[in-house]
Amino acid sequence: MRNFKNLFSAVIAFAAFAMPVAAQQLTPVKFSLDWTLQGNHAIWGLALKNRDFEANGLKVTMDRGYGSGDTIVKVAAGAYDIGFTDINSLIKFNAENPDRGLIAFYQVFDKTPNSIIALAKSGIKTPADLAGKKLGAPEADSSRLMFSAFAKANKIDPSSINWTSMAPNLRETMLAQGQVDAISGFSSTSVFNLISAGVPEKDIVVLGYADNGLDLYGSALVAKPDYIAKHPDVIKGFVKASIAGTIALLKDPAAGMRAMKEIEPLYDVKLEAARLKFLMDRGVLKSPSFEQNGLGYVDPARMALTIQTNADAFKITAPAANKIYTTEYLPAAGERMPPK
């Protein structure tokens, strides 16, 4: 009996010792989102809850973001290892900062949600109706920065637009109050901010860039090239966990909302479920291309168009494609097919 007790005590002691060792074997990863917690971020909420990161050897800390541009700067500075950001903003940053550029390694959004948003009472129904109108947005807003490309695609004279600058948190308020005729921004953000402010969805007009001549890619996961080179297994693991989280979210959006509520008790489940559906219905998160080729698929010709369109809009030299993105860390297509 004494030998059995000694053996049992030894097993318990070994388990107590082994558990922290196992935990130490997980590679810590600091991850920044692009904005405050929203419906599509449930990809990673579920990856955390379902321990998909842990299954791939990662211990991920996920923080909210303060805009795509801010996320890019923080990842480039090394404050975060990986970021979720608008690839259009990334193209501009890389062109202007060739020594600090980042690489997109997993395409999350198949098309950009960059848009012009107006209220029905403004009379704005088509891009042509924007001529002579007062538009508002923060100066660093990616939709505003890319407006010249949108204007060119829709034969609008950019000089006919009167821009008003404001803080990001005042954008939708100023539209609702009639201080501007329209605003630029991500439709998935502005539409639901307006709804939260009491504007009926039927009164909101969305002129999506992707639906009006600019078939561009949207947000992606990014990291520094040297980080990717030094930690290829981290990148592969993060991609696999993101794919698992996306598949789980597409299968059961409600589970994703519950996972986010556990992370942030003030998370508005009803609003964010509607935001997620908005993105799915508009081919941003779930698209024919992804359904045919697998999540994260990038068409080289379409990405080249995205890069060149940004170069033209920002009057910069177009960066080489391999300075913007890579598909090297994607698993086989069969492992990333979205649910039917």
Side-chain angles (χ1 to χ4, degrees):
M1 179 64 72
R2 180 178 296 174
N3 289 339
F4 175 79
K5 287 182 177 178
N6 290 340
L7 177 60
F8 181 77
S9 298
V11 169
I12 294 298
F14 175 79
F17 172 78
M19 286 177 66
V21 170
Q24 289 172 9
Q25 292 174 348
L26 296 176
T27 302
V29 177
K30 295 185 67 177
F31 174 44
S32 175
L33 298 172
D34 56 337
W35 198 241
T36 187
L37 300 184
Q38 296 185 339
N40 56 284
H41 297 147
I43 291 171
W44 300 290
L46 282 171
L48 288 166
K49 182 178 178 62
N50 296 338
R51 300 195 171 184
D52 296 314
F53 286 120
E54 292 181 29
N56 285 281
L58 309 178
K59 183 177 181 180
V60 174
T61 301
M62 182 174 75
D63 292 336
R64 65 153 293 175
Y66 294 87
S68 287
D70 186 69
T71 296
I72 289 171
V73 170
K74 287 176 177 174
V75 174
Y80 287 91
D81 303 310
I82 293 172
F84 174 58
T85 190
D86 177 33
I87 200 163
N88 299 285
S89 298
L90 176 69
I91 292 166
K92 181 177 185 292
F93 180 85
N94 282 10
E96 296 176 344
N97 301 273
D99 297 332
R100 297 196 298 139
L102 308 179
I103 299 293
F105 60 86
Y106 178 64
Q107 192 63 46
V108 181
F109 284 178
D110 190 45
K111 69 178 185 179
T112 178
N114 279 306
S115 303
I116 298 297
I117 301 96
L119 301 183
K121 64 183 181 182
S122 69
I124 296 172
K125 297 179 181 178
T126 69
D129 297 328
L130 295 171
K133 295 295 193 297
K134 182 186 292 185
L135 271 61
E139 291 184 3
D141 171 64
S142 63
S143 300
R144 176 173 177 173
L145 292 172
M146 291 187 64
F147 183 80
S148 61
F150 179 76
K152 181 179 179 180
N154 291 280
K155 300 180 179 178
I156 302 169
D157 180 4
S159 66
S160 70
I161 304 298
N162 300 307
W163 283 98
T164 297
S165 299
M166 72 275 290
N169 63 323
L170 296 178
R171 172 170 32 194
E172 290 77 24
T173 299
M174 291 183 69
L175 176 62
Q177 292 177 349
Q179 296 184 52
V180 293
D181 300 309
I183 56 176
S184 67
F186 275 14
S187 55
S188 52
T189 296
S190 291
V191 167
F192 291 94
N193 285 350
L194 287 167
I195 291 173
S196 294
V199 178
E201 187 172 2
K202 65 181 179 62
D203 293 340
I204 303 172
V205 177
V206 177
L207 303 177
Y209 285 14
D211 302 319
N212 290 278
L214 294 181
D215 185 22
L216 311 179
Y217 279 108
S219 298
L221 294 175
V222 304
K224 295 169 68 173
D226 61 343
Y227 182 87
I228 294 174
K230 292 177 182 177
H231 306 282
D233 290 340
V234 170
I235 299 301
K236 289 178 182 178
F238 205 100
V239 169
K240 287 183 178 180
S242 297
I243 290 170
T246 303
I247 291 173
L249 181 60
L250 294 175
K251 284 182 177 179
D252 189 356
M257 300 305 98
R258 291 193 296 271
M260 296 300 281
K261 186 74 171 179
E262 292 177 14
I263 295 172
E264 173 50 70
L266 297 179
Y267 188 80
D268 188 332
V269 168
K270 183 178 179 181
L271 180 73
E272 296 308 328
R275 193 194 310 270
L276 176 63
K277 184 177 185 300
F278 180 92
L279 288 168
M280 291 168 60
D281 289 348
R282 284 159 178 77
V284 175
L285 189 58
K286 182 180 181 181
S287 70
S289 177
F290 283 174
E291 289 175 345
Q292 180 178 349
N293 303 293
L295 296 166
Y297 172 76
V298 174
D299 174 17
R302 190 164 160 239
M303 183 60 81
L305 174 64
T306 299
I307 294 171
Q308 189 59 53
T309 299
N310 278 272
D312 293 342
F314 298 132
K315 295 179 173 55
I316 54 178
T317 300
N322 65 358
K323 298 295 185 181
I324 299 298
Y325 82 103
T326 178
T327 58
E328 180 181 348
Y329 302 94
L330 290 180
E335 298 177 39
R336 47 191 174 87
M337 299 305 294
K340 297 295 185 181

